[in-house]
Amino acid sequence: MTANGHTAPIPAPGCALCATPGSFGPRNPAEPCSGLCPACIAAGKPTRDGLERAVVIVAGQSLAAAEALSLATATPEELAYHLGAVKRSLRSMLQLFAPVEGEGR
């Protein structure tokens, strides 16, 4: 329910990347452009697999930078920054493994 007493609309299925409303078919991991609207396909937007690879690359870079930090000579600000980077990297990696609502697992 919303603040004015009306029920909130149920979100319609849409594009897996840009959330454009509509029915663009089910998401099939074997088919990279499944579940995408025609605009996303035409624009060449990255697929979920491409986004997953990008997350892994960025997380690996953040973790490599944190591993290169010398704990003996690091300032508190450097430690805080690198711990935050590790936390964000791990969170983004775990989100890749989180079950997607509506998919049978």
XYZ file of all heavy atoms in Angstrom:
735
model
N 0.837 -1.183 0.000
C 0.000 0.000 0.000
C 0.881 1.245 0.000
O 1.917 1.284 0.647
C -0.863 0.026 1.252
C -1.999 -0.939 1.294
S -3.439 0.035 1.557
C -4.602 -0.809 0.596
N 0.411 2.243 -0.681
C 1.132 3.509 -0.692
C 0.603 4.391 0.425
O -0.359 4.048 1.105
C 0.958 4.220 -2.055
O -0.432 4.460 -2.266
C 1.522 3.378 -3.182
N 1.217 5.545 0.601
C 0.824 6.454 1.681
C -0.602 6.954 1.508
O -1.277 7.267 2.487
C 1.796 7.624 1.754
N -1.094 7.041 0.274
C -2.452 7.556 0.051
C -3.514 6.459 0.072
O -4.664 6.705 -0.252
C -2.517 8.352 -1.257
C -2.191 7.522 -2.471
O -2.020 6.309 -2.374
N -2.101 8.178 -3.615
N -3.146 5.231 0.430
C -4.111 4.157 0.590
C -4.320 3.288 -0.628
O -5.080 2.342 -0.589
N -3.672 3.603 -1.734
C -3.788 2.786 -2.937
C -2.737 1.686 -2.915
O -1.686 1.832 -2.314
C -3.600 3.647 -4.194
C -4.693 4.640 -4.387
N -4.607 5.928 -3.912
C -5.902 4.528 -4.979
C -5.707 6.578 -4.208
N -6.516 5.755 -4.859
N -3.041 0.619 -3.604
C -2.048 -0.449 -3.686
C -0.985 -0.067 -4.696
O -1.266 0.563 -5.713
C -2.691 -1.788 -4.100
O -3.335 -1.611 -5.349
C -3.664 -2.272 -3.051
N 0.234 -0.425 -4.398
C 1.339 -0.141 -5.304
C 1.266 -1.086 -6.493
O 0.910 -2.249 -6.344
C 2.671 -0.302 -4.577
N 1.575 -0.592 -7.691
C 1.519 -1.480 -8.855
C 2.584 -2.565 -8.775
O 3.676 -2.343 -8.271
C 1.789 -0.535 -10.037
C 2.509 0.628 -9.443
C 2.019 0.741 -8.023
N 2.232 -3.720 -9.273
C 3.184 -4.830 -9.320
C 4.088 -4.592 -10.520
O 3.600 -4.347 -11.627
C 2.449 -6.178 -9.461
C 1.564 -6.403 -8.233
C 3.422 -7.324 -9.645
C 0.650 -7.581 -8.346
N 5.394 -4.621 -10.314
C 6.276 -4.363 -11.449
C 6.117 -5.414 -12.538
O 6.075 -6.603 -12.269
C 7.683 -4.408 -10.843
C 7.537 -4.984 -9.492
C 6.102 -4.910 -9.096
N 6.000 -4.923 -13.760
C 5.848 -5.814 -14.903
C 7.209 -6.361 -15.306
O 8.227 -5.736 -15.043
C 5.224 -5.052 -16.062
N 7.216 -7.525 -15.932
C 8.509 -8.019 -16.414
C 9.049 -7.046 -17.447
O 8.304 -6.376 -18.147
C 8.177 -9.378 -17.020
C 6.705 -9.381 -17.229
C 6.124 -8.395 -16.277
N 10.338 -6.988 -17.529
C 10.936 -6.055 -18.469
C 12.297 -6.524 -18.907
O 12.701 -7.664 -18.673
N 13.020 -5.621 -19.523
C 14.362 -5.906 -20.011
C 15.267 -6.226 -18.823
O 15.220 -5.548 -17.790
C 14.898 -4.705 -20.778
S 16.583 -4.897 -21.375
N 16.098 -7.222 -18.982
C 16.986 -7.660 -17.906
C 18.059 -6.627 -17.580
O 18.616 -6.640 -16.491
C 17.637 -8.985 -18.275
N 18.355 -5.686 -18.503
C 19.394 -4.690 -18.247
C 18.839 -3.314 -17.929
O 19.226 -2.693 -16.956
C 20.342 -4.581 -19.451
C 21.294 -5.740 -19.646
C 22.121 -5.528 -20.897
C 22.197 -5.890 -18.450
N 17.925 -2.812 -18.764
C 17.470 -1.428 -18.584
C 16.114 -1.333 -17.908
O 15.642 -0.245 -17.630
C 17.438 -0.708 -19.924
S 16.146 -1.301 -21.052
N 15.474 -2.459 -17.641
C 14.181 -2.539 -16.959
C 13.054 -1.880 -17.745
O 12.065 -1.458 -17.175
C 14.268 -1.955 -15.551
N 13.186 -1.767 -19.067
C 12.097 -1.262 -19.897
C 10.927 -2.227 -19.766
O 11.100 -3.434 -19.908
C 12.539 -1.184 -21.377
O 13.629 -0.283 -21.477
C 11.401 -0.733 -22.275
N 9.720 -1.707 -19.463
C 8.572 -2.603 -19.318
C 8.269 -3.339 -20.621
O 8.442 -2.801 -21.707
C 7.427 -1.670 -18.953
C 8.042 -0.378 -18.587
C 9.384 -0.317 -19.234
N 7.835 -4.555 -20.473
C 7.479 -5.364 -21.637
C 7.869 -6.803 -21.419
O 8.503 -7.156 -20.431
N 7.483 -7.637 -22.358
C 7.832 -9.047 -22.276
C 8.851 -9.344 -23.367
O 8.530 -9.306 -24.554
C 6.582 -9.906 -22.463
O 6.931 -11.256 -22.402
N 10.075 -9.619 -22.962
C 11.157 -9.860 -23.907
C 11.653 -11.296 -23.825
O 12.756 -11.594 -24.246
C 12.299 -8.870 -23.673
C 11.840 -7.437 -23.745
C 11.760 -6.664 -22.601
C 11.455 -6.884 -24.958
C 11.313 -5.364 -22.664
C 11.017 -5.575 -25.026
C 10.941 -4.818 -23.883
N 10.838 -12.147 -23.277
C 11.181 -13.560 -23.196
C 11.971 -13.887 -21.948
O 12.460 -13.012 -21.240
N 12.078 -15.171 -21.661
C 12.800 -15.589 -20.459
C 14.306 -15.426 -20.629
O 14.822 -15.386 -21.743
C 12.426 -17.063 -20.315
C 12.129 -17.497 -21.714
C 11.526 -16.299 -22.404
N 15.003 -15.345 -19.523
C 16.468 -15.246 -19.528
C 17.038 -16.644 -19.668
O 16.745 -17.524 -18.888
C 16.932 -14.600 -18.215
C 18.418 -14.557 -18.052
C 19.023 -13.468 -18.908
N 20.460 -13.432 -18.701
C 21.342 -13.713 -19.647
N 20.949 -13.982 -20.857
N 22.621 -13.688 -19.395
N 17.823 -16.843 -20.708
C 18.452 -18.139 -20.956
C 19.964 -17.920 -20.952
O 20.488 -17.248 -21.844
C 17.987 -18.707 -22.299
C 18.615 -20.036 -22.625
O 19.413 -20.570 -21.851
N 18.271 -20.572 -23.772
N 20.691 -18.456 -19.964
C 22.138 -18.234 -19.894
C 22.894 -18.700 -21.133
O 23.957 -18.183 -21.446
C 22.571 -19.041 -18.669
C 21.336 -19.231 -17.864
C 20.195 -19.246 -18.845
N 22.353 -19.648 -21.873
C 23.028 -20.141 -23.071
C 22.892 -19.170 -24.242
O 23.633 -19.245 -25.209
C 22.465 -21.503 -23.464
N 21.938 -18.246 -24.156
C 21.700 -17.276 -25.223
C 21.977 -15.872 -24.665
O 21.210 -15.357 -23.850
C 20.255 -17.389 -25.694
C 19.985 -16.724 -27.009
C 18.558 -16.977 -27.465
O 18.052 -18.092 -27.284
O 17.956 -16.028 -27.977
N 23.075 -15.231 -25.055
C 23.507 -13.982 -24.428
C 22.500 -12.834 -24.473
O 22.455 -12.039 -23.555
C 24.766 -13.594 -25.203
C 25.219 -14.830 -25.866
C 24.012 -15.672 -26.073
N 21.692 -12.721 -25.504
C 20.778 -11.579 -25.611
C 19.355 -11.911 -25.184
O 18.451 -11.099 -25.377
C 20.793 -11.045 -27.038
S 22.367 -10.289 -27.482
N 19.129 -13.084 -24.597
C 17.773 -13.426 -24.173
C 17.353 -12.542 -23.007
O 18.149 -12.183 -22.153
C 17.699 -14.900 -23.771
O 18.505 -15.142 -22.645
N 16.094 -12.136 -23.018
C 15.553 -11.296 -21.960
C 15.857 -9.816 -22.126
O 15.520 -9.023 -21.269
N 16.495 -9.434 -23.235
C 16.837 -8.034 -23.468
C 15.868 -7.405 -24.455
O 15.406 -8.057 -25.391
C 18.259 -7.904 -24.010
C 19.380 -8.470 -23.153
C 20.718 -8.239 -23.837
C 19.375 -7.862 -21.780
N 15.602 -6.108 -24.279
C 14.734 -5.394 -25.212
C 15.503 -5.120 -26.508
O 16.737 -5.148 -26.524
C 14.251 -4.093 -24.579
S 15.530 -2.842 -24.346
N 14.795 -4.839 -27.596
C 15.464 -4.571 -28.871
C 16.440 -3.387 -28.805
O 17.470 -3.397 -29.473
C 14.312 -4.282 -29.833
C 13.137 -4.969 -29.237
C 13.346 -4.898 -27.750
N 16.133 -2.388 -27.987
C 17.022 -1.223 -27.882
C 18.366 -1.613 -27.264
O 19.419 -1.155 -27.715
C 16.358 -0.127 -27.061
N 18.348 -2.452 -26.245
C 19.598 -2.893 -25.613
C 20.400 -3.774 -26.563
O 21.622 -3.666 -26.631
C 19.320 -3.651 -24.312
S 18.856 -2.586 -22.950
N 19.705 -4.627 -27.308
C 20.402 -5.484 -28.265
C 21.042 -4.625 -29.354
O 22.201 -4.809 -29.703
C 19.435 -6.529 -28.865
C 18.993 -7.506 -27.779
C 20.081 -7.268 -30.030
C 17.854 -8.427 -28.194
N 20.285 -3.633 -29.871
C 20.806 -2.766 -30.929
C 21.960 -1.899 -30.424
O 22.901 -1.615 -31.155
C 19.687 -1.887 -31.474
N 21.895 -1.473 -29.160
C 22.939 -0.607 -28.602
C 24.189 -1.396 -28.245
O 25.223 -0.816 -27.939
C 22.415 0.120 -27.368
N 24.077 -2.706 -28.270
C 25.240 -3.533 -27.938
C 25.605 -3.461 -26.468
O 26.765 -3.572 -26.101
N 24.594 -3.260 -25.623
C 24.869 -3.214 -24.190
C 25.388 -4.570 -23.735
O 25.047 -5.593 -24.319
C 23.603 -2.849 -23.403
C 23.189 -1.409 -23.592
C 22.038 -1.059 -22.679
C 21.656 0.392 -22.849
N 20.516 0.757 -22.012
N 26.204 -4.570 -22.709
C 26.758 -5.853 -22.258
C 25.677 -6.772 -21.705
O 24.714 -6.324 -21.114
C 27.746 -5.453 -21.159
C 27.311 -4.101 -20.724
C 26.660 -3.450 -21.908
N 25.865 -8.028 -21.918
C 24.948 -9.029 -21.376
C 25.315 -9.297 -19.925
O 26.334 -8.817 -19.425
C 25.054 -10.337 -22.170
O 26.386 -10.824 -22.036
C 24.715 -10.133 -23.635
N 24.504 -10.077 -19.246
C 24.802 -10.419 -17.848
C 26.157 -11.103 -17.746
O 26.920 -10.839 -16.836
C 23.711 -11.299 -17.259
C 24.048 -11.733 -15.825
C 22.858 -12.250 -15.078
N 23.251 -12.790 -13.808
C 23.349 -12.096 -12.675
N 23.092 -10.822 -12.686
N 23.710 -12.677 -11.548
N 26.461 -11.970 -18.704
C 27.755 -12.653 -18.670
C 28.900 -11.646 -18.772
O 29.908 -11.767 -18.076
C 27.850 -13.676 -19.806
C 26.817 -14.783 -19.673
O 26.449 -15.105 -18.529
O 26.382 -15.309 -20.708
N 28.737 -10.645 -19.638
C 29.754 -9.602 -19.758
C 29.876 -8.785 -18.487
O 30.984 -8.435 -18.060
N 28.733 -8.485 -17.872
C 28.757 -7.741 -16.609
C 29.428 -8.557 -15.512
O 30.181 -8.021 -14.698
C 27.337 -7.355 -16.195
C 26.638 -6.335 -17.095
C 25.178 -6.176 -16.683
C 27.346 -5.007 -17.065
N 29.164 -9.865 -15.489
C 29.790 -10.726 -14.486
C 31.310 -10.737 -14.653
O 32.046 -10.642 -13.678
C 29.234 -12.145 -14.582
C 27.821 -12.274 -14.079
C 27.234 -13.654 -14.288
O 27.876 -14.501 -14.948
O 26.120 -13.886 -13.798
N 31.762 -10.818 -15.903
C 33.212 -10.801 -16.142
C 33.816 -9.479 -15.688
O 34.900 -9.442 -15.112
C 33.508 -11.052 -17.620
C 33.372 -12.506 -18.011
C 33.950 -12.780 -19.386
N 33.297 -12.037 -20.448
C 32.199 -12.439 -21.091
N 31.646 -13.577 -20.777
N 31.679 -11.707 -22.039
N 33.106 -8.365 -15.939
C 33.606 -7.053 -15.530
C 33.703 -6.960 -14.010
O 34.673 -6.428 -13.468
C 32.697 -5.948 -16.067
N 32.707 -7.486 -13.299
C 32.733 -7.470 -11.834
C 33.924 -8.263 -11.319
O 34.635 -7.835 -10.405
C 31.404 -8.016 -11.254
C 31.529 -8.334 -9.771
C 30.283 -7.026 -11.493
N 34.170 -9.416 -11.922
C 35.298 -10.254 -11.495
C 36.623 -9.537 -11.741
O 37.523 -9.549 -10.896
C 35.257 -11.621 -12.209
C 36.531 -12.400 -11.977
C 34.044 -12.420 -11.749
N 36.761 -8.867 -12.878
C 38.001 -8.145 -13.185
C 38.234 -7.019 -12.191
O 39.327 -6.875 -11.633
C 37.965 -7.612 -14.630
C 38.064 -8.770 -15.614
C 39.087 -6.599 -14.874
C 37.753 -8.387 -17.051
N 37.200 -6.205 -11.936
C 37.343 -5.076 -11.007
C 37.616 -5.580 -9.592
O 38.460 -5.037 -8.882
C 36.094 -4.176 -11.053
C 36.118 -3.139 -9.954
C 35.988 -3.502 -12.416
N 36.920 -6.630 -9.183
C 37.153 -7.184 -7.842
C 38.570 -7.706 -7.718
O 39.236 -7.492 -6.701
C 36.145 -8.299 -7.552
N 39.050 -8.361 -8.754
C 40.429 -8.863 -8.731
C 41.443 -7.746 -8.641
O 42.449 -7.855 -7.921
N 41.197 -6.637 -9.342
C 42.108 -5.501 -9.275
C 42.118 -4.888 -7.879
O 43.176 -4.537 -7.356
C 41.719 -4.449 -10.313
C 41.970 -4.881 -11.739
C 41.358 -3.940 -12.752
O 40.515 -3.116 -12.442
N 41.788 -4.082 -14.000
N 40.925 -4.763 -7.270
C 40.842 -4.197 -5.914
C 41.556 -5.094 -4.915
O 42.258 -4.608 -4.022
C 39.379 -4.018 -5.496
O 38.744 -3.099 -6.340
N 41.357 -6.396 -5.044
C 42.002 -7.320 -4.119
C 43.516 -7.330 -4.321
O 44.275 -7.400 -3.350
C 41.425 -8.729 -4.288
C 39.972 -8.885 -3.848
C 39.462 -10.272 -4.207
C 39.813 -8.614 -2.364
N 43.976 -7.218 -5.564
C 45.414 -7.180 -5.833
C 46.039 -5.925 -5.223
O 47.134 -5.978 -4.649
C 45.674 -7.229 -7.340
N 45.341 -4.794 -5.322
C 45.855 -3.550 -4.733
C 45.919 -3.665 -3.213
O 46.882 -3.200 -2.585
C 44.980 -2.377 -5.141
N 44.901 -4.294 -2.620
C 44.906 -4.464 -1.167
C 46.018 -5.408 -0.730
O 46.657 -5.201 0.304
C 43.550 -4.980 -0.694
N 46.279 -6.457 -1.505
C 47.337 -7.397 -1.165
C 48.721 -6.757 -1.284
O 49.648 -7.128 -0.564
C 47.271 -8.621 -2.077
C 46.121 -9.549 -1.770
C 46.017 -10.701 -2.766
O 46.678 -10.648 -3.825
O 45.273 -11.639 -2.483
N 48.854 -5.789 -2.176
C 50.146 -5.132 -2.383
C 50.466 -4.133 -1.275
O 51.607 -3.697 -1.140
C 50.157 -4.428 -3.736
N 49.480 -3.780 -0.472
C 49.671 -2.796 0.597
C 50.538 -3.386 1.708
O 50.285 -4.485 2.188
C 48.305 -2.389 1.166
C 48.305 -1.371 2.280
C 48.772 -0.017 1.755
C 46.922 -1.252 2.880
N 51.541 -2.652 2.094
C 52.405 -3.088 3.197
C 51.745 -2.671 4.510
O 51.626 -1.475 4.810
C 53.785 -2.432 3.076
O 54.538 -2.705 4.236
N 51.310 -3.638 5.286
C 50.612 -3.341 6.539
C 51.515 -2.647 7.562
O 51.051 -1.884 8.388
C 50.022 -4.620 7.126
C 48.955 -5.305 6.280
C 48.494 -6.591 6.955
C 47.786 -4.388 6.027
N 52.801 -2.920 7.493
C 53.734 -2.338 8.465
C 53.906 -0.836 8.274
O 54.128 -0.103 9.239
C 55.092 -3.034 8.363
N 53.788 -0.368 7.037
C 54.030 1.054 6.772
C 52.781 1.818 6.342
O 52.863 3.006 6.054
C 55.101 1.203 5.673
O 54.634 0.555 4.483
C 56.428 0.588 6.122
N 51.638 1.162 6.281
C 50.411 1.809 5.812
C 49.863 2.774 6.853
O 49.906 2.508 8.051
C 49.366 0.759 5.494
N 49.343 3.888 6.364
C 48.683 4.849 7.255
C 47.279 4.343 7.559
O 46.739 3.503 6.827
C 48.597 6.230 6.583
O 47.739 6.127 5.439
C 49.971 6.749 6.176
N 46.653 4.852 8.610
C 45.275 4.440 8.904
C 44.318 4.720 7.745
O 43.397 3.940 7.490
C 44.903 5.268 10.138
C 46.210 5.551 10.798
C 47.201 5.692 9.677
N 44.545 5.822 7.027
C 43.677 6.149 5.894
C 43.822 5.117 4.773
O 42.842 4.726 4.150
C 44.003 7.550 5.350
C 43.641 8.677 6.295
C 44.704 8.922 7.366
O 45.833 8.398 7.243
O 44.384 9.630 8.333
N 45.063 4.674 4.522
C 45.288 3.656 3.499
C 44.639 2.338 3.890
O 44.023 1.658 3.057
C 46.787 3.446 3.269
C 47.478 4.588 2.559
C 48.981 4.382 2.476
O 49.581 3.877 3.454
O 49.548 4.728 1.427
N 44.766 1.976 5.156
C 44.134 0.737 5.619
C 42.616 0.801 5.468
O 41.993 -0.146 5.004
C 44.509 0.468 7.075
C 45.946 0.030 7.334
C 46.209 -0.024 8.831
C 46.213 -1.314 6.692
N 42.042 1.935 5.868
C 40.589 2.090 5.769
C 40.136 2.034 4.306
O 39.138 1.381 3.985
C 40.154 3.405 6.398
N 40.875 2.681 3.424
C 40.521 2.670 2.010
C 40.570 1.248 1.442
O 39.639 0.802 0.775
C 41.455 3.578 1.204
C 41.243 3.453 -0.283
C 40.173 4.094 -0.893
C 42.075 2.655 -1.052
C 39.952 3.953 -2.247
C 41.859 2.510 -2.414
C 40.794 3.164 -3.009
O 40.581 3.014 -4.348
N 41.650 0.537 1.711
C 41.799 -0.800 1.147
C 40.826 -1.797 1.768
O 40.341 -2.697 1.082
C 43.247 -1.270 1.249
C 44.127 -0.605 0.246
N 44.065 -0.889 -1.095
C 45.056 0.364 0.365
C 44.923 -0.139 -1.757
N 45.546 0.631 -0.890
N 40.521 -1.660 3.049
C 39.504 -2.534 3.650
C 38.138 -2.274 3.018
O 37.377 -3.205 2.767
C 39.445 -2.339 5.159
C 40.563 -3.010 5.942
C 40.490 -2.624 7.417
C 40.496 -4.517 5.789
N 37.841 -1.009 2.759
C 36.586 -0.676 2.081
C 36.543 -1.246 0.673
O 35.513 -1.746 0.220
N 37.672 -1.187 -0.032
C 37.738 -1.734 -1.393
C 37.536 -3.245 -1.379
O 36.833 -3.792 -2.234
C 39.073 -1.378 -2.036
N 38.137 -3.915 -0.418
C 37.968 -5.368 -0.302
C 36.510 -5.695 0.004
O 35.927 -6.606 -0.592
C 38.912 -5.947 0.774
C 38.564 -7.386 1.102
C 40.360 -5.833 0.325
N 35.906 -4.943 0.898
C 34.505 -5.172 1.255
C 33.601 -5.003 0.030
O 32.737 -5.836 -0.242
C 34.083 -4.196 2.356
C 32.641 -4.304 2.759
C 32.291 -3.250 3.799
C 30.814 -3.178 4.024
N 30.441 -2.069 4.886
N 33.797 -3.924 -0.740
C 32.980 -3.706 -1.935
C 33.199 -4.808 -2.966
O 32.255 -5.259 -3.611
C 33.285 -2.331 -2.546
C 32.708 -1.173 -1.742
C 32.902 0.148 -2.456
N 34.310 0.476 -2.701
C 35.120 1.048 -1.819
N 34.659 1.361 -0.620
N 36.366 1.322 -2.128
N 34.446 -5.239 -3.124
C 34.743 -6.299 -4.094
C 34.067 -7.605 -3.706
O 33.460 -8.273 -4.538
C 36.259 -6.515 -4.200
O 36.883 -5.384 -4.724
N 34.171 -7.951 -2.440
C 33.538 -9.191 -1.982
C 32.021 -9.112 -2.088
O 31.371 -10.083 -2.475
C 33.971 -9.508 -0.551
C 35.441 -9.902 -0.393
C 35.787 -10.074 1.081
C 35.751 -11.170 -1.169
N 31.447 -7.965 -1.764
C 29.996 -7.805 -1.861
C 29.537 -7.963 -3.309
O 28.562 -8.656 -3.590
C 29.552 -6.442 -1.336
C 28.025 -6.269 -1.417
C 27.544 -4.908 -0.966
N 27.905 -4.667 0.396
C 28.259 -3.467 0.861
N 28.305 -2.431 0.063
N 28.575 -3.306 2.121
N 30.256 -7.341 -4.250
C 29.854 -7.456 -5.651
C 30.010 -8.893 -6.148
O 29.196 -9.367 -6.945
C 30.636 -6.478 -6.527
O 32.010 -6.745 -6.479
N 31.022 -9.593 -5.663
C 31.189 -10.998 -6.056
C 30.054 -11.851 -5.493
O 29.511 -12.705 -6.193
C 32.533 -11.542 -5.550
C 33.741 -10.977 -6.251
S 33.826 -11.439 -7.969
C 34.094 -13.183 -7.818
N 29.686 -11.621 -4.242
C 28.612 -12.411 -3.635
C 27.274 -12.143 -4.314
O 26.433 -13.042 -4.412
C 28.525 -12.111 -2.137
C 29.683 -12.670 -1.307
C 29.581 -12.182 0.137
C 29.709 -14.182 -1.361
N 27.072 -10.913 -4.805
C 25.820 -10.605 -5.494
C 25.695 -11.386 -6.797
O 24.594 -11.647 -7.263
C 25.706 -9.107 -5.758
C 25.421 -8.332 -4.497
C 25.438 -6.838 -4.717
O 25.926 -6.339 -5.722
N 24.913 -6.095 -3.762
N 26.813 -11.773 -7.388
C 26.748 -12.598 -8.593
C 26.174 -13.977 -8.287
O 25.536 -14.588 -9.134
C 28.147 -12.775 -9.197
C 28.783 -11.556 -9.825
C 30.179 -11.894 -10.310
C 27.940 -11.025 -10.964
N 26.415 -14.461 -7.074
C 25.962 -15.801 -6.705
C 24.588 -15.802 -6.046
O 24.034 -16.864 -5.807
C 26.976 -16.457 -5.764
C 28.335 -16.604 -6.394
C 29.395 -15.897 -5.892
C 28.526 -17.418 -7.489
C 30.658 -16.018 -6.459
C 29.748 -17.550 -8.072
C 30.834 -16.843 -7.566
N 24.064 -14.625 -5.738
C 22.757 -14.537 -5.088
C 21.680 -15.023 -6.053
O 21.742 -14.748 -7.244
C 22.470 -13.096 -4.661
N 20.700 -15.753 -5.557
C 19.630 -16.225 -6.442
C 18.838 -15.042 -6.969
O 18.568 -14.085 -6.251
C 18.774 -17.119 -5.550
C 19.144 -16.761 -4.154
C 20.521 -16.179 -4.183
N 18.479 -15.108 -8.252
C 17.692 -14.064 -8.890
C 16.224 -14.408 -8.685
O 15.801 -15.542 -8.925
C 18.021 -13.973 -10.397
C 17.151 -12.944 -11.085
C 19.499 -13.663 -10.568
N 15.437 -13.425 -8.240
C 14.029 -13.665 -7.970
C 13.317 -14.093 -9.250
O 13.509 -13.513 -10.313
C 13.388 -12.372 -7.442
C 11.956 -12.571 -6.970
C 11.395 -11.313 -6.357
O 12.120 -10.647 -5.601
O 10.235 -11.026 -6.661
N 12.543 -15.142 -9.156
C 11.788 -15.628 -10.295
C 12.450 -16.774 -11.025
O 11.826 -17.403 -11.863
N 13.711 -17.037 -10.753
C 14.392 -18.161 -11.391
C 14.344 -19.356 -10.452
O 14.577 -19.212 -9.267
C 15.856 -17.821 -11.705
C 16.025 -16.862 -12.846
C 17.478 -16.682 -13.229
O 18.339 -17.409 -12.693
O 17.741 -15.814 -14.054
N 14.049 -20.495 -10.977
C 14.003 -21.709 -10.160
C 15.398 -22.187 -9.815
O 16.221 -22.376 -10.681
N 15.679 -22.340 -8.545
C 16.981 -22.849 -8.079
C 16.741 -23.882 -7.028
O 15.895 -23.856 -6.275
C 17.848 -21.748 -7.495
C 18.450 -20.928 -8.611
C 19.601 -20.146 -8.044
N 20.135 -19.325 -9.103
C 21.398 -19.113 -9.277
N 22.274 -19.644 -8.506
N 21.838 -18.360 -10.223
